[in-house]
Structures are given as C-alpha cells and as structure tokens.
Amino acid sequence: MDGVPESHTGWTFLTNHARVLAAVADNPNIRIRHIAARCRLTERAVQKIISDLERDGYLSHVREGRTNTYRIEPGMVLRHPADSGLPVAALLSLLLRDEVDRQVPPEQFSPARRWTPVDGG
C-alpha cells in the first residue's frame, strides 16, 4: 500500500494502539508497513504507537537481522480505570478470535489464530 491510507471520520470502538497491538500479536515479526496497511495508518503513526507501547512496558522488540521480533507483555493491565484489572491477553484473545473470517492478503499476515502468550502467561 503506497501513500496515505484512506481516512476515517467519526468514532470507532477500538483505538489505534489496540489495532497495532493485535497486528503484532497475530505476527510478532510483522513489518511496520504491513501494520500500517492492516490498521489503515501511516507508517509514522505506527512507529509512534509502537514507541508508546514500548515506553509503557506493553511491548518490546529484539532486532534479528533486518527484522524486529516483538514481544507483548500479556499480564500488563489495560490503562483505563473502567478496565481495571483486565490484562492485555484478554483483549487480544477477543480481537483475534474471529480473524479467520476476514479477507487479508496472505503475503501480509500470518494465518489467524487465537492468541496465546509465548510464555504461557
């Protein structure tokens, strides 16, 4: 996808941070340009969101050659007081459960699956 993604007006149920986190949960080796295409964001916006998530401890990455491998901290709780105590893993489980029904170009994303943390947490 080249250029700026099509814009959206009005409100949505999910934040861009949640969308980026779900894309990473689906494929820990996903490239920023593929996250941007999937979430309909600019690459710069995705870089800022990843920086936010890393700064606050929800996400980390390891550089492997030319690729980043991301790791989500599944036990971190959501930030809003109304969601007090709800871990990131619960949110991701909901977001990725029905992913198989979506029409996603296979060269961009791994097959959808129910998300489970790497460390079994």
Side-chain angles (χ1 to χ4, degrees):
M1 171 181 242
D2 294 322
V4 178
E6 63 186 74
S7 64
H8 172 79
T9 58
W11 64 274
T12 63
F13 283 101
L14 300 176
T15 67
N16 290 335
H17 285 65
R19 287 186 184 94
V20 168
L21 204 57
V24 169
D26 190 43
N27 180 356
N29 297 311
I30 192 169
R31 295 176 182 258
I32 287 178
R33 69 181 146 160
H34 293 147
I35 297 171
R38 176 176 177 166
C39 298
R40 297 181 181 229
L41 299 169
T42 63
E43 289 182 31
R44 180 67 190 119
V46 171
Q47 289 171 337
K48 167 109 175 53
I49 290 168
I50 287 173
S51 176
D52 290 345
L53 292 169
E54 286 185 323
R55 181 189 65 236
D56 291 342
Y58 289 88
L59 188 66
S60 61
H61 77 274
V62 174
R63 187 83 175 161
E64 296 179 357
R66 296 177 57 186
T67 305
N68 285 326
T69 298
Y70 297 98
R71 183 178 188 290
I72 294 171
E73 293 299 328
M76 293 286 292
V77 295
L78 300 181
R79 294 170 41 109
H80 196 280
D83 304 322
S84 177
L86 185 65
V88 168
L91 173 66
L92 293 173
S93 179
L94 290 172
L95 292 177
L96 296 177
R97 184 179 334 180
D98 297 321
E99 194 76 13
V100 83
D101 295 330
R102 295 184 185 193
Q103 299 297 319
V104 180
E107 68 275 5
Q108 288 186 357
F109 312 114
S110 67
R113 63 195 180 284
R114 184 175 172 96
W115 185 77
T116 53
V118 174
D119 61 3

